[in-house]
Amino acid sequence: MTVLSRLQAAAPMVRQLHRTQVWGWLVRGSDAQHSLIARGLRQPRGRSRQGGMNLAPQTALETAQESQAGSSLLKGVLFTAGFCGTTFVGAAIWQYETLRSHLSQRSWTDWVNKQWNEMEGWQHKQGDIRKEINKWWNDLTEGQKVFWPICFINTVVFACWNNPALQRTMLKYFCSNPAARAVCWPMFLSTFSHFAFFHLAMNMYVLHSFSTGVCASLGREQFLAMYLSGGVVSSLASHVFKVAMRCPGPSLGASGAIMALLGYFCTQNPNAQLGIVFIPGINFSADSALKAVMCLDAVGIALGWRTFDHAAHLGGALFGLLYALYGTKYIWGNREPIMRQWHEIRSKANERLDGKPKDE
């Protein structure tokens, strides 16, 4: 046998050995903490990711169950449908209670404020810290009043990532992965989760920029329902892409939910002028910005970029776009039966508490 024929015969074995070694390096690495699965938002398909931010935790992840990804995807679909429906029903009830509180002569908020002001030792604090906090809060727009609690929750979750004792819990419930054991709740909790400070800061900056405009159009109840639903829908889009491409891995961040707000705002206000904070003097229309971002995410999906979860971004943007076109009319516009049903439930509950029916 010639040397050339021996090399040709040995080539398939060499290729198989090379693939086995590469896969072992991807899964285990020289150290579990330096494996490529533990780096980036999704594991690369046969090659290491070049460049980009390290947005996922640098620690060993739980073993991926790729064989269960299909059934996990079905769970994700059912969870998304149930979560979005429950969120909008809750928002409708919240709006009912808000309107009822405003129409009622005795509001529970008035009682809370009265008790707070009558607390012993607080009378002399007028004009001090408490008054300044109240003034700051009252001067906020409705969108900012929704933004700051969301920002606070994201900050607390970010702080939890830096507590070694909580790492296992954070990896299990605050990273969305279709191949993980816990599938459903991480789709929601991961939208409040950031491992890198730069990731958190940029997302909160963009959310703050759009919260006032979107909330002014939707109202705080509908705004929050769309934000939370957009986050879960974007997680579902990420799951679908990962299962289809057989590249499971962890994702986290509020980007998908924020992209839903961006998609809504740009669809409702296509001629609004936007800019980039790092590039002053460059302005463009909201319509052009949405198209550019969606095209960029589509290219990222096609080329397999791993720096961001482009499937989640695109899913969130599409959700916001479709909600702007149809959601406000066919979803939020049909909330009256829910509010009527809640009114009847509330009235019957009050009758039982009072011991006698109230006159209509």
Side-chain angles (χ1 to χ4, degrees):
M1 182 180 291
T2 64
V3 175
L4 179 60
S5 61
R6 291 179 180 178
L7 291 176
Q8 291 176 344
M13 298 178 60
V14 173
R15 285 196 296 268
Q16 180 63 30
L17 178 60
H18 176 70
R19 284 196 295 267
T20 303
Q21 291 175 342
V22 170
W23 175 248
W25 180 50
L26 289 174
V27 177
R28 298 183 299 273
S30 59
D31 185 352
Q33 294 187 355
H34 296 86
S35 62
L36 289 183
I37 290 182
R39 296 167 54 191
L41 292 183
R42 288 193 299 269
Q43 56 180 319
R45 292 174 293 177
R47 59 182 176 84
S48 62
R49 187 185 64 185
Q50 300 296 327
M53 292 184 299
N54 191 0
L55 302 181
Q58 295 282 349
T59 186
L61 302 177
E62 63 179 355
T63 303
Q65 306 293 328
E66 294 188 43
S67 60
Q68 302 178 5
S71 60
S72 297
L73 183 59
L74 178 60
K75 293 180 182 179
V77 172
L78 296 177
F79 175 79
T80 301
F83 181 87
C84 293
T86 303
T87 300
F88 278 98
V89 169
I93 295 175
W94 180 17
Q95 188 180 62
Y96 169 86
E97 292 295 336
T98 301
L99 294 174
R100 192 176 187 278
S101 176
H102 289 167
L103 295 175
S104 177
Q105 292 183 352
R106 52 177 189 174
S107 171
W108 68 272
T109 55
D110 295 336
W111 180 86
V112 171
N113 290 332
K114 184 175 182 295
Q115 297 299 318
W116 179 271
N117 291 327
E118 291 180 354
M119 288 179 63
E120 183 179 357
W122 282 93
Q123 289 84 352
H124 66 283
K125 294 292 183 179
Q126 297 296 326
D128 293 339
I129 298 176
R130 184 170 61 91
K131 187 174 181 180
E132 291 298 323
I133 294 176
N134 290 336
K135 182 179 182 302
W136 170 79
W137 180 259
N138 293 330
D139 290 340
L140 296 177
T141 64
E142 287 297 317
Q144 292 172 342
K145 290 180 180 180
V146 177
F147 161 77
W148 283 111
I150 294 176
C151 182
F152 176 77
I153 295 173
N154 279 267
T155 304
V156 171
V157 174
F158 171 74
C160 291
W161 273 112
N162 294 278
N163 187 343
L166 300 175
Q167 287 294 307
R168 184 175 296 274
T169 300
M170 302 302 294
L171 288 167
K172 183 175 181 180
Y173 293 108
F174 288 85
C175 282
S176 179
N177 185 356
R181 293 185 180 88
V183 175
C184 295
W185 282 110
M187 296 176 65
F188 165 64
L189 297 177
S190 63
T191 62
F192 295 92
S193 179
H194 299 82
F195 184 75
F197 176 76
F198 181 79
H199 191 200
L200 170 67
M202 288 304 302
N203 277 345
M204 292 303 99
Y205 174 80
V206 177
L207 177 59
H208 182 269
S209 300
F210 286 95
S211 60
T212 297
V214 177
C215 193
S217 174
L218 296 175
R220 60 181 181 177
E221 299 88 1
Q222 189 181 185
F223 172 92
L224 187 60
M226 197 196 78
Y227 177 83
L228 297 179
S229 298
V232 174
V233 169
S234 67
S235 295
L236 177 62
S238 175
H239 282 204
V240 171
F241 174 76
K242 293 172 184 177
V243 172
M245 300 303 295
R246 296 183 179 178
C247 58
S251 296
L252 73 171
S255 304
I258 295 172
M259 285 297 297
L261 299 182
L262 179 66
Y264 176 87
F265 178 87
C266 294
T267 303
Q268 290 289 95
N269 308 276
N271 297 321
Q273 293 297 304
L274 304 179
I276 303 176
V277 62
F278 300 114
I279 309 177
I282 298 180
N283 296 321
F284 39 82
S285 66
D287 182 65
S288 299
L290 180 61
K291 292 177 180 177
V293 170
M294 294 181 68
C295 287
L296 180 64
D297 286 322
V299 171
I301 292 175
L303 298 181
W305 293 347
R306 296 290 181 262
T307 306
F308 302 103
D309 194 335
H310 294 282
H313 288 188
L314 188 59
L318 287 173
F319 175 80
L321 186 154
L322 293 175
Y323 191 85
L325 295 176
Y326 308 106
T328 54
K329 179 179 180 181
Y330 295 106
I331 298 179
W332 193 250
N334 293 321
R335 70 189 183 282
E336 184 177 348
I338 298 174
M339 301 176 75
R340 187 183 302 114
Q341 184 68 25
W342 177 252
H343 175 75
E344 294 177 359
I345 294 174
R346 209 176 188 283
S347 299
K348 291 179 181 179
N350 290 335
E351 291 174 3
R352 291 181 179 180
L353 292 175
D354 294 342
K356 59 181 181 179
K358 292 184 177 180
D359 295 335
E360 296 292 338

